Amino acid sequence: MNRLIIILVLAVFALSCGNGDRPKQLLSEDQMVSIMMDIHMVEGISSALPISYDSSKKVYPYLEHRVFEKHGVADSVYVENLQYYLRDAAKMEQLYARVIDSLTVKQNIGEQ
């Protein structure tokens, strides 16, 4: 969760420096939701591993890289799109609501 906060803070900072243009490779809202879901799951997995915090900090980048590979997106493209979507707070709130709903459904299916 701390990584997400850091990413969001960096994205907001970058937004204040950006020119407000659309990314060259604009990801759809569905793509963003899917990637954000996977990143949250990877964060949860890496923090739940029975290893030290220092070790989990080394595992997370590998798992995150796998998420971007799975979606066929470079991490820089994701960050650029995250910055773009963060410019519209209402849109970002909708995206996160979808992420939370989808993760809740996955959790409920896993508990059955």
Side-chain angles (χ1 to χ4, degrees):
M1 186 56 86
N2 289 336
R3 290 180 198 101
L4 176 63
I5 293 169
I6 291 170
I7 290 172
L8 290 175
V9 169
L10 290 174
V12 169
F13 176 78
L15 285 175
S16 64
C17 302
N19 59 10
D21 294 334
R22 286 173 47 126
K24 293 174 188 161
Q25 183 181 346
L26 181 64
L27 300 175
S28 71
E29 292 177 20
D30 290 340
Q31 288 173 303
M32 284 297 292
V33 168
S34 183
I35 294 169
M36 290 164 62
M37 280 179 49
D38 287 347
I39 287 176
H40 283 292
M41 289 179 16
V42 161
E43 286 176 343
I45 290 168
S46 66
S47 67
L49 290 172
I51 56 177
S52 70
Y53 176 73
D54 289 340
S55 296
S56 70
K57 283 180 21 179
K58 292 180 181 179
V59 169
Y60 175 77
Y62 170 76
L63 296 174
E64 183 184 47
H65 178 73
R66 297 287 308 255
V67 167
F68 296 129
E69 273 184 352
K70 171 185 171 186
H71 293 279
V73 173
D75 59 346
S76 59
V77 170
Y78 171 75
V79 170
E80 188 178 339
N81 276 268
L82 184 61
Q83 292 170 351
Y84 173 75
Y85 282 110
L86 280 169
R87 290 183 191 113
D88 183 350
K91 179 62 67 185
M92 199 64 197
E93 187 175 338
Q94 289 175 338
L95 292 177
Y96 263 106
R98 289 178 57 192
V99 168
I100 291 167
D101 289 345
S102 298
L103 289 172
T104 300
V105 167
K106 278 187 172 250
Q107 179 182 5
N108 290 339
I109 290 172
E111 291 176 355
Q112 293 179 0

